[in-house]
Amino acid sequence: MGAKTCLLIMPLPFYAFERVICDELKARGYEVTLANEEYPHTPLGRVMGKLDLPIIRWWTRRVFRRRFLNGGRWTLVIIIKGRGVGPELVKDLKASADRVVGYHFDALSYDRATRRWGASVDRVSTFDYRDARDTGWPVVELFSAQPPLEPAPPVRHRLSAIQRNHSGRLAYLDRVVSALGSEETFVFIFEKGPLSLLLNAIRQPALYWKWRKSISFKPLPYDQYLDALASSEFTLDYAHPLQTGATMRCFEARAMGVKIITNNPHTLESPYFSEQNAIVYPMNGDPDALRARVRELAGVRPAPSQRTPAQFVTELVGDDLSRSPEPNAG
């Protein structure tokens, strides 16, 4: 019997998402080949994909047929997001694979690519609760690649806010910190590049000036990120207004026993979160109500609970779902 092979199609790179999933698949005995979700894999390709131009699907299929569908057979194909994928390419993939599954970690109202090909694969799932209700797709929650730290570091920050600057994140950060006060707060804002900085500064010059000392062009090193997160009583989570799924940040905080303050009310739909470890505070929320909830949960550290990459991959592939332990939102 030949080796199990998996073609993993997803945005490359996407933080360490692809590495974590590859490692889990390799642990299950797969030889993994990575492919980008769209071609050409260049800035031009990203622009064409963002604009949802039909040529990106033609180009992506052409590259796949030449590089990945040239006579061999795949045991498993996983398509994550798949912005450059179309039904025609899925048909090619199914002809060359034993099983093809898909996953969307965005909102269909923001990126509709998965809707285009989702009905053509053997199984498709989403992280977004609203999309799951609208389409009938199962929800597969995200995960934390980092297990709880042992021993847990002492709490040094009442609030940490570690985020890439886009959409309304800076405004939300400012509203939460203004409500709670800046004492014992760790703030790190990553700016992707000079163009992003310029556009964000034009959109919100006063906020940009106020938080300028916390803005960096270099991402926070992962060990420093983990230390800041794990030593926080609360951490800030901001979901794009079009998304309803619980973000990766929420699961990382859950693994560290850190409570979250989030703008996303749908987070409480997840069995991993409850009013004991998550505070929902909308963009225009009442500061007094936020302060009251923070006082209510002050000093109570939820037991760390990691949703693992193994659980994620098991549910994503639809392989023996019973192996995933029940969540605990306490």
Side-chain angles (χ1 to χ4, degrees):
M1 185 175 179
K4 295 191 296 184
T5 57
C6 177
L7 178 61
L8 177 57
I9 304 166
M10 63 180 297
L12 298 177
F14 187 77
Y15 304 104
F17 201 83
E18 69 277 5
R19 176 186 57 78
V20 173
I21 297 174
C22 275
D23 287 348
E24 178 57 34
L25 289 166
K26 289 175 182 177
R28 296 174 185 231
Y30 286 95
E31 294 179 0
V32 183
T33 298
L34 273 170
N36 195 46
E37 67 167 341
E38 61 193 5
Y39 288 93
H41 192 188
T42 62
L44 174 61
R46 287 193 291 275
V47 170
M48 289 192 295
K50 189 72 172 176
L51 295 174
D52 199 30
L53 299 179
I55 190 175
I56 197 72
R57 293 186 288 281
W58 173 84
W59 202 317
T60 299
R61 187 186 183 201
R62 182 170 173 267
V63 170
F64 267 77
R65 295 179 80 172
R66 186 178 72 249
R67 292 190 192 176
F68 307 112
L69 304 174
N70 47 15
R73 187 162 187 85
W74 302 97
T75 311
L76 174 67
V77 173
I78 299 175
I79 310 170
I80 297 181
K81 202 171 182 187
R83 196 164 65 180
V85 176
E88 297 83 4
L89 176 53
V90 169
K91 184 177 179 180
D92 296 338
L93 291 167
K94 291 192 72 173
S96 300
D98 298 336
R99 184 166 173 78
V100 181
V101 300
Y103 182 70
H104 197 41
F105 63 80
D106 215 325
L108 290 171
S109 54
Y110 186 72
D111 180 350
R112 62 180 181 270
T114 310
R115 188 189 296 276
R116 193 161 34 231
W117 52 261
S120 304
V121 298
D122 297 309
R123 172 180 167 84
V124 62
S125 52
T126 178
F127 97 121
D128 193 273
Y129 308 124
R130 181 190 296 126
D131 288 346
R133 286 191 291 270
D134 291 346
T135 62
W137 299 347
V139 170
V140 172
E141 304 273 18
L142 292 170
F143 59 88
S144 170
Q146 176 62 41
L149 297 182
E150 296 290 347
V155 173
R156 302 195 309 272
H157 315 296
R158 181 169 62 159
L159 174 71
S160 62
I162 307 162
Q163 58 189 31
R164 198 182 88 178
N165 190 23
H166 68 71
S167 59
R169 282 181 173 176
L170 193 59
Y172 187 68
L173 160 69
D174 186 70
R175 288 176 185 270
V176 172
V177 174
S178 297
L180 298 181
S182 59
E183 298 82 9
E184 302 176 40
T185 297
F186 180 89
V187 176
F188 185 92
I189 304 163
F190 172 59
E191 194 64 80
K192 192 174 181 181
L195 179 58
S196 174
L197 181 148
L198 177 62
L199 294 175
N200 283 323
I202 290 173
R203 277 198 296 263
Q204 39 199 358
L207 283 178
Y208 223 87
W209 180 255
K210 179 178 179 179
W211 293 101
R212 66 191 183 281
K213 293 182 180 178
S214 299
I215 297 172
S216 173
F217 283 126
K218 294 183 179 180
L220 189 67
Y222 191 60
D223 59 339
Q224 295 180 35
Y225 163 71
L226 286 179
D227 179 68
L229 176 63
S231 59
S232 303
E233 183 167 20
F234 294 90
T235 196
L236 206 63
D237 169 67
Y238 180 87
H240 191 284
L242 293 178
Q243 294 179 342
T244 66
T247 65
M248 193 81 81
R249 175 64 48 79
C250 291
F251 288 97
E252 291 170 334
R254 188 76 182 88
M256 298 294 147
V258 175
K259 298 171 291 245
I260 62 171
I261 298 173
T262 180
N263 70 316
N264 181 9
H266 300 276
T267 299
L268 295 179
E269 295 183 35
S270 168
Y272 293 87
F273 301 97
S274 72
E275 292 186 350
Q276 302 307 307
N277 56 37
I279 296 174
V280 175
Y281 183 66
M283 180 70 82
N284 296 313
D286 178 3
D288 289 334
L290 176 61
R291 287 189 285 267
R293 286 286 286 131
V294 167
R295 286 195 299 270
E296 182 183 337
L297 297 182
V300 179
R301 188 158 194 168
S305 178
Q306 182 194 13
R307 176 172 161 81
T308 66
Q311 289 172 269
F312 171 78
V313 171
T314 293
E315 295 174 18
L316 170 68
V317 176
D319 173 27
D320 188 8
L321 302 186
S322 64
R323 282 164 33 193
S324 298
E326 289 296 318
N328 176 8

